[in-house]
Amino acid sequence: MTGILLLLAGSATRFVLSPLWYFLACTPAYIVFTVLRKRFDYRILALAPLIPIVAEVIAILLGNFKAGFLFGDIICIITALLGMGDERPKERLIRDLGLSGAENRMRVNSMFYTFGRVAQIEKVNMSQSYAVIHDKAFRFTVDIPGSGRVTMVIPIEKIEEVSVHLSMSSGELYLPSLRDMFLPARKIKMIGKPKIRDYFLLVRTSEDTYSFYEEPATVLRIQEEIEAARKETEQLVQNHPATST
């Protein structure tokens, strides 16, 4: 409800403000909505890009069309689409698991993955993955050529090791240049840092090893969640040995 009210309040300024003030009022509302997108139901995210269009159609029917409003509309629509696009793979994953709602979507973590153990991130190609712990299994998506995105399922009891590894790499100290103000920094990780620390989540079974890369807080949290699930599974096996066999 909060998300809808925020979007409606921003778009409603279309009918009472000038194009410039509409842009200054509506755009921040959509930016705040996009920042808080994880808290909202996915249906609201899908509805968000349509609200400026509906508002503009109503304004046209009322004879209140001005070309200057279109710039604010376009920025709001693009902002909403970016937020929805980031959450779409997470929503698809939880729906495949028979789940729904923002609280379940927030459980999904966006990371980069590869097979095997990683020494340095610069020496390996990693792909986007979305991971969640559900129903006594660690589930994450992988992109398979010809098959698209599929979900890998590793039962918690099959995981033999879960740990976070620190990779330290050194390089020439990179100082920001004027170019970096207008174009993506070529060596953004090296800015002001002679050494780079990368943290990898390592998940190992008897057959395979998987490495996941994200910010330290994310990989440490997932490690704790997997370890907690492993302890819970071990406890169930100890309490009901006959059932587990």
Side-chain angles (χ1 to χ4, degrees), residues 41 91 94-95 97-105:
D41 189 272
E91 180 70 15
I94 66 171
R95 286 186 179 182
L97 299 177
L99 305 174
S100 62
E103 66 280 358
N104 284 308
R105 200 174 70 248

Side-chain angles (χ1 to χ4, degrees), residues 34 41 61 67 90 108 112 119 145 157 171 181-183 185 202 218 226:
T34 302
D41 189 272
L61 294 176
K90 300 178 182 180
V108 179
F112 292 93
E157 64 269 17
M181 296 178 61
F182 304 97
L183 298 173
L202 183 71
T218 298
I226 295 178

Side-chain angles (χ1 to χ4, degrees), residues 31-51:
I31 291 175
V32 171
F33 173 82
T34 302
V35 170
L36 301 176
R37 64 188 179 277
K38 295 181 179 180
R39 304 183 182 183
F40 304 134
D41 189 272
Y42 186 77
R43 290 171 294 182
I44 298 178
L45 300 183
L47 181 65
L50 301 177
I51 293 180

